[in-house]
Amino acid sequence: MLLNNALLLVLLILAVAAGWTLGRSGLRMDLAGRAQLPSQYYRGFNFLLDGEEEGAVDAFTEALAVNEETLDTHIALGSVLRKRGEVDRAIRIHQNLLKRPQLSAVQLHQSHLELARDFIAAGLYDRAEQLLVDLAAQSSEFSATAQRHLLDVYEAQRDWSAAVAIAEELIALAESEGQSAAGHGQPAQQLRGHYLCEQAENAHGFGDYKAAKSFYEQALRDQPQELRALMGLVRCALKDTDRPSAMKYFSRVMESNRRCTPEILGLLRDVCSAEPYSDVYLSSLQRYYSQQSSPLLALALAEELSRQKGNEAASLFLRSTLDQYPSASVAASLALNALESQDSQPERDVLDELIRNDHGYQCDHCGFTVKTRHWRCPGCRHWDSLHYRGGALEQLNGG
Ligand SMILES: [Zn+2]
């Protein structure tokens, strides 16, 4: 913190001195017309001599006149303070900018945007929302950026219907003016899909399966292969004891090219346990494995083969996969099956642990690792950026 303050002070002193040297902008003139440094400049040095660095930063900031040339310096300073967690001081700097009548409309809008960012950082969502709604309506330059920040506000408040409305405006903007007009960040269609899934899960939690189904179906409008919505529709169909629909939606999960995970496998088990025929799970696993030859599916298929046709059939199948898809988990499972004597119990326990445990997910965006599926990364707040890393042996093998 001390180093950061010292750096800030040096930059501020240089900025004020540069303003004084280059055109003496914003400096008072004495009776003889000579430029004078503002009193805050000397006050800043007094704070420095007293060892009060924070007071010195504030005084030098006040000494730095607001005009077209120094606006970027003020905004950069406010942004640095916000990122350091000193949101109150960032708010003071940006509110100070808004009092200046000499700034152009674009510069005022830029200052509004920064202030809204400060309010979001401070958790003052109502105040940020008001600023951003006005900005989205009034500024053509910052409209898409303001709407992106409005999404941050509504996501933080879990106001999913308001978030859907803004995502739809961004989608319309992108369609009418090109993708760049919709601002940076994840595609608005993907965000809209997740907001609708959030609404669906809330409805599902209240037992309103009809509303949940409707939200999930809307989520599929722009993204027909959206995994989260398809999984939700499988669950809704199971609640309705509508087995054909459950299997129909699960087939779309299988065809979606998304990697099978333990929770997807659990869902398939639920779908098949609702079926009257005992071999549906085995035939479904065989169909799934023919589309996606992952170790997780191979092991699940072998387990079911073992249950229905015996250990020999399971081992034969697992061994047949290794040539084309070498997998440490599958090899370990075969080794485990071969250990049958009572003396081999410790080795069995270790192999069993390695095959079955430590399934995990990792964020493609920030690298955050987590044990269970989250639709939004707890680390970087990206939607659907966590990919399944497999079990412990797959992770050691690099996936
Ligand atoms: Zn992340």
Side-chain angles (χ1 to χ4, degrees):
M1 185 66 83
L2 281 178
L3 181 67
N4 284 341
N5 269 345
L7 190 62
L8 268 183
L9 281 167
V10 170
L11 290 173
L12 277 168
I13 293 166
L14 286 175
V16 177
W20 180 68
T21 313
L22 300 169
R24 291 152 169 76
S25 56
L27 301 180
R28 285 187 284 110
M29 306 293 280
D30 69 6
L31 289 175
R34 289 169 303 186
Q36 286 184 327
L37 283 162
S39 60
Q40 296 95 324
Y41 193 69
Y42 300 106
R43 207 154 56 83
F45 274 112
N46 281 333
F47 276 121
L48 262 188
L49 290 172
D50 292 340
E52 295 179 35
E53 293 186 352
E54 294 205 350
V57 170
D58 287 342
F60 284 123
T61 307
E62 286 173 31
L64 185 63
V66 178
N67 56 41
E68 281 190 21
E69 285 75 33
T70 60
L71 181 85
D72 287 344
T73 311
H74 282 272
I75 285 187
L77 178 63
S79 171
V80 168
L81 290 171
R82 182 172 65 235
K83 283 174 187 155
R84 283 173 26 159
E86 297 177 52
V87 184
D88 287 350
R89 296 168 76 195
I91 289 174
R92 276 209 303 280
I93 286 176
H94 294 134
Q95 281 178 329
N96 188 37
L97 290 180
L98 291 170
K99 291 178 194 156
R100 308 301 167 125
Q102 67 268 42
L103 296 183
S104 68
V106 171
Q107 289 169 328
L108 280 173
H109 288 156
Q110 195 180 355
S111 308
H112 265 125
L113 184 63
E114 291 301 320
L115 188 57
R117 286 173 171 151
D118 298 337
F119 286 146
I120 290 173
L124 301 169
Y125 297 117
D126 288 353
R127 298 181 73 178
E129 180 185 3
Q130 195 50 56
L131 278 177
L132 292 166
V133 167
D134 291 347
L135 201 53
Q138 292 165 13
S139 163
S140 53
E141 285 89 350
F142 298 110
S143 176
T145 310
Q147 283 174 318
R148 286 276 169 182
H149 285 305
L150 269 175
L151 290 183
D152 295 336
V153 169
Y154 296 138
E155 284 182 9
Q157 295 177 312
R158 302 182 65 77
D159 186 347
W160 305 116
S161 60
V164 167
I166 297 294
E168 286 182 345
E169 284 179 31
L170 282 168
I171 292 168
L173 193 65
E175 282 169 1
S176 66
E177 297 179 28
Q179 196 57 43
S180 61
H184 299 293
Q186 292 188 264
Q189 287 90 343
Q190 187 185 15
L191 297 178
R192 176 183 178 274
H194 282 285
Y195 301 151
L196 286 162
C197 287
E198 290 285 345
Q199 287 179 284
E201 282 168 17
N202 286 344
H204 198 277
F206 289 120
D208 188 350
Y209 307 120
K210 195 175 165 197
K213 194 175 164 202
S214 164
F215 283 126
Y216 282 131
E217 279 170 351
Q218 287 178 61
L220 291 177
R221 189 192 72 181
D222 297 318
Q223 304 195 96
Q225 301 299 325
E226 171 60 43
L227 176 65
R228 186 180 183 182
L230 290 173
M231 290 177 72
L233 283 166
V234 173
R235 289 194 194 97
C236 286
L238 287 176
K239 285 283 178 192
D240 279 347
T241 57
D242 180 358
R243 292 193 306 268
S245 292
M247 189 49 96
K248 184 187 79 183
Y249 287 123
F250 196 87
S251 295
R252 287 175 64 181
V253 171
M254 289 191 204
E255 289 153 13
S256 70
N257 288 328
R258 294 291 299 261
R259 191 171 176 190
C260 182
T261 64
E263 58 164 1
I264 296 178
L265 205 50
L267 195 58
L268 177 62
R269 235 176 265 122
D270 291 343
V271 172
C272 295
S273 65
E275 293 283 338
Y277 311 108
S278 61
D279 60 347
V280 174
Y281 184 50
L282 180 61
S283 61
S284 301
L285 280 172
Q286 283 167 329
R287 184 153 66 95
Y288 206 169
Y289 185 77
S290 71
Q291 287 169 332
Q292 185 183 134
S293 307
S294 72
L296 182 72
L297 278 168
L299 292 172
L301 181 47
E303 193 177 327
E304 189 60 14
L305 275 172
S306 169
R307 202 175 65 81
Q308 290 199 23
K309 300 182 179 174
N311 276 345
E312 193 57 34
S315 295
L316 212 61
F317 161 70
L318 284 181
R319 209 162 279 124
S320 74
T321 68
L322 283 177
D323 273 349
Q324 205 173 351
Y325 307 106
S327 153
S329 297
V330 170
S333 177
L334 280 164
L336 181 67
N337 289 345
L339 294 172
E340 284 176 350
S341 80
Q342 202 59 37
D343 295 343
S344 60
Q345 194 59 41
E347 300 97 287
R348 292 177 63 86
D349 290 345
V350 170
L351 286 171
D352 200 45
E353 180 86 3
L354 281 171
I355 296 164
R356 296 188 188 285
N357 290 340
D358 285 328
H359 289 272
Y361 296 80
Q362 184 166 31
C363 176
D364 293 328
H365 190 249
C366 72
F368 192 90
T369 57
V370 66
K371 287 275 182 200
T372 52
R373 156 87 74 189
H374 292 260
W375 290 108
R376 195 176 187 203
C377 173
C380 67
R381 317 301 289 158
H382 260 61
W383 291 94
D384 201 10
S385 59
L386 292 161
H387 72 267
Y388 176 60
R389 301 169 75 203
L393 286 168
E394 261 66 47
Q395 291 171 40
L396 286 174
N397 245 11

